Amino acid sequence: DLGVGKNQDALSAFVAVASGKVANVDDPTPIKIGEWTHIAFVTGGRGMKLYRDSKLVAQNPAVGSFAELGGGDPLNLGRAGRMPDFAGEIDEVRIWDRERTGDEIRANMFRNLTGTETNLAALWNFDQPVKSSLRGVQVSSLLSDTNGVLWVGTEAGVSCFDGTNWLNYTSANGLAAGH
């Protein structure tokens, strides 16, 4: 196991390796509920480091990393065996194949990554794409075509929903003005 979570009111990170050895690093500053926080947990040959909003807040000389974890074990995000499940929102998880410095963390913490960056081993981005919504509020007609697309006529134009996205059409798209 390798994880970051809340232990009491503090931020805690740990590595539990196959031998059963557990090493942790704790930031005693309470977590502020409802406030966005950037957390980076660095493990490797120079020990464990915990960063909050790009500032080093705790460290432990214990050496532990993904390399020590047993092969085939699942990677859980937001869940760890001995800690309560994470109750919050996770925007993104990045795993690098080398230790990152505080300067590297600070320089990239607000950057959207593509997944092709050098030394980036894994990237989980949980940003949801913005999908258009139904144009207009007064529905005047409704049709489901043979492809399963839902067509909706409103005072503002015509919209179609394919099960995932809304597409909106108005006179600017060539739709006749329905006088």
Side-chain angles (χ1 to χ4, degrees):
D1 269 348
L2 181 139
V4 176
K6 183 177 169 186
N7 185 7
Q8 305 290 327
D9 284 332
L11 182 61
S12 181
F14 70 93
V15 175
V17 294
S19 68
K21 179 180 80 172
V22 177
N24 66 305
V25 59
D26 298 312
D27 173 10
T29 306
I31 295 172
K32 294 180 182 174
I33 304 299
E35 183 176 300
W36 183 89
T37 304
H38 179 271
I39 297 167
F41 177 39
V42 178
T43 65
R46 292 180 283 186
M48 300 167 35
K49 296 179 180 83
L50 186 60
Y51 294 84
R52 182 191 294 215
D53 295 326
S54 79
K55 295 178 182 83
L56 180 64
V57 293
Q59 54 189 341
N60 181 336
V63 176
S65 71
F66 274 108
E68 292 184 59
L69 300 177
D73 289 337
L75 171 64
N76 296 306
L77 301 177
R79 169 169 281 195
R82 293 169 301 285
M83 296 174 77
D85 289 351
F86 178 75
E89 297 179 20
I90 299 173
D91 180 59
E92 186 175 77
V93 175
R94 303 171 182 182
I95 298 176
W96 300 86
D97 67 4
R98 66 173 190 78
E99 294 176 54
R100 306 281 285 169
T101 67
D103 288 339
E104 289 172 317
I105 292 167
R106 192 170 9 274
N108 290 289
M109 66 188 255
F110 293 110
R111 202 171 130 232
N112 290 325
L113 303 184
T114 64
T116 60
E117 289 76 10
T118 303
N119 299 110
L120 182 63
L123 173 67
W124 290 273
N125 186 317
F126 303 111
D127 287 341
Q128 297 298 314
V130 176
K131 298 179 182 178
S132 299
S133 62
L134 177 64
R135 186 171 177 92
V137 294
Q138 297 173 344
V139 175
S140 58
S141 61
L142 200 57
L143 169 78
S144 178
D145 68 19
T146 56
N147 294 320
V149 175
L150 178 66
W151 292 86
V152 181
T154 70
E155 82 286 356
V158 174
S159 301
C160 70
F161 183 68
D162 65 4
T164 305
N165 297 296
W166 285 98
L167 293 174
N168 298 299
Y169 302 94
T170 66
S171 58
N173 305 103
L175 186 65
H179 298 295

